[in-house]
Amino acid sequence: MSEQFIQLGHGGGGLLSRDLIQREIVSRFGDGALKGLPDGATLPVPSSRLMVFTTDSFVVQPLEFPGGTIGDLAVHGTVNDLAVCGAIPRWLSLALILEEGLPFTTLRRVLDSVKRAADECGVSVVTGDTKVVERGQCDGMYVNTAGIGEHMDGFTLDPNRVVPGDHVLVSGPVGDHGMAVLAAREGIRITHGVSSDTGPVHRLVQAIREYAPDIKFMRDPTRGGLAAVLNEVVENRGMGILLNESDVPFSTGAKAAAELLGVDLLQVASEGRMILIGDAAISEVVLKAWRSLPEGREAARIGIVTETRGRVVLETITGGRRLVDVPRGELLPRIC
Amino acid sequence: MNYIEGFRDPAVAKGIRSKVDALAGSLLARNRPVNIMEVCGSHTMAIARYGIRDILPSTVNLISGPGCPVCVTPTRYIDAAITLVERGIIVVTFGDMILVPGSASTLAECRARGGAVEVAYSPTRAIELAVANPDREVVFLAIGFETTTAPVISIVEHAIRLGLKNVSLLTAFKLVPPALTALLADPEIRIDAFLCPAHVSAIIGADAYKPFAETYKVPCVVAGFEPLDILYGVQGILEQMTQGKAEVVNQYARVVKAQGNLQAQALMAKYLEPVDAAWRGIGVLPKSGLGLRPEYAAYDAELKYGVTVELGAENPACACGEVLKGKQKPPECSLFGTACTPDHPVGPCMVSTEGTCSAYFKYLR
């Protein structure tokens, strides 16, 4: 194949489109339900099972960053949403919006990372779509994935079940993904570089399945980070959360980048971590199960549910306390 | 050494706290609280972020002075910047300026309407844009205290070297010492000591505070931004007070020299001269700012485009002026947390993440 860049014709439905789909999509994902390129995937859903269905769109810049690409991110994002709903991820859709002029080499690297991530997570890409837009109408490429998973018996996740005294656990250092992307975007090079934590959490969920009845809440802290998730739990409820700063795991690289950019890591996205709130009695066994997996090695208990209505409070390393607020939105660089 | 954990050791923090408690106890006979003013936005943020007010004895007040350069930027400056964007000029700025309310709009709204507002981490971005867009004009919003003045003014140096004619500065540089003089001269404010800024002091040097210690008998302690730096700074101030001393003590010697950064000072002196400057909430203070010298007028956006920056209309209910002077705490303002929030800031103290009101809203509400 001679083309080096995506052209508008690759999305036009003609020969170029067919060529692109055959060479890049079918070659990687064409074994299962995608075989023969039907208009939709026909899936063997087990009877009497609850199914979980979710979708997410990915517009990250740059497309490739330390630790990942928009491709594995798009798989992990959807797989993790299914996992924290208490489901075993099964099937994914993959929709690509490509910008005219995108190098084929970039597209191939991204699709390879989709394939690798999907295989690692045990999910199949069973349907998809590709469109091409004119130069300037999107930033290289956008990706949407939707996912279907099988709900596991025993999980009744509901923040209304959370009560004072419950423990708050996290599966590993938080904020690495957001800092890696921000540092890459700003061209900041740090000696102990920060790498995205993008990765799946489904094994972490399956590893604690036997404690499901005492698990009340699970979430992956993406946009808005730990702060956004925990505030959502206590909002309009008669309880609060007290975090202990010394117990919250952060990586050295993320800390350095956050100091440099003036960003609060509690508000920064992770893409391979999960937060769990459950009965105090299971926190030690959950941590033990998590720590036996590579992705849960640095899991920690970071706080406790309190009776302080609607507040997430951090006990800082000085012993003082402060409010952990919901992030406002755009992370703006400070002047000094 | 590890420059993050080393200054955040909980055991050391506990040790300093008990010393601060003991010192504050021995000052109880004064029968009025100790008012310590910090004049640095990053101190304000660190104090809030680490809950330091929460652990100090009730007789020690930390008052946040005019330490955030964004907060003291007048309304009309924003209006002038918006005018420039509306004329098709590319305006490059540090991030927290884009939410500062002008008299009718903000740069963020201006950008949403399609205006060319570029948020930059480094002033050199203005040079990159001027080179990449030879047919466009580029203006950098040149605000800030002594800390950022030298890197910003290097835009002019780069422009001269590269022969660029399409880049200029809208200047509103501020100087810290004249503001401290004005605060000390105000009879309504009783400041017992200054926790002197860290980065500003790295440029102007610790010796710059000597007049305050000598003339006004106010202890001045230069402290870093880490929680232990700040606690140790408070301890240093209380020690001086118990001994009846008023000296300049540099506790941030790992960065700050007595004479400051001579290279930065020389760069500033080459291109800039002291001018009277408008401080939002405080008013016009003589020789409290820096403007381009007449020989560099070609790089002065005010002259080049005929825009003017002066004190403009402010919301009469907004207490930012009183907050900046340390006369009021943010929650005492009638707008705080209701009409004025970080999402819809009225006054500049709520805009910047370093602003006093923003820090209160974020961490202490």
Side-chain angles (χ1 to χ4, degrees), chain A residues 259-319:
Chain A
E259 287 297 320
L260 202 61
L261 299 174
V263 171
D264 183 354
L265 276 179
L266 294 177
Q267 300 187 338
V268 178
S270 303
E271 290 288 349
R273 305 288 175 234
M274 61 178 289
I275 296 169
L276 180 151
I277 302 177
D279 195 284
I282 60 159
S283 65
E284 280 312 311
V285 284
V286 166
L287 288 176
K288 190 160 176 258
W290 278 358
R291 287 173 184 154
S292 68
L293 292 166
E295 61 265 47
R297 210 177 56 241
E298 294 176 71
R301 193 192 100 177
I302 56 171
I304 188 163
V305 178
T306 63
E307 285 173 355
T308 325
R309 174 175 282 275
R311 296 267 167 127
V312 180
V313 172
L314 181 76
E315 178 156 329
T316 77
I317 60 98
T318 65

Side-chain angles (χ1 to χ4, degrees), chain B residues 186-208:
Chain B
D186 189 330
E188 284 182 59
I189 315 168
R190 289 178 87 176
I191 300 169
D192 294 307
F194 282 121
L195 190 70
C196 298
H199 286 155
V200 166
S201 307
I203 305 295
I204 67 175
D207 285 353

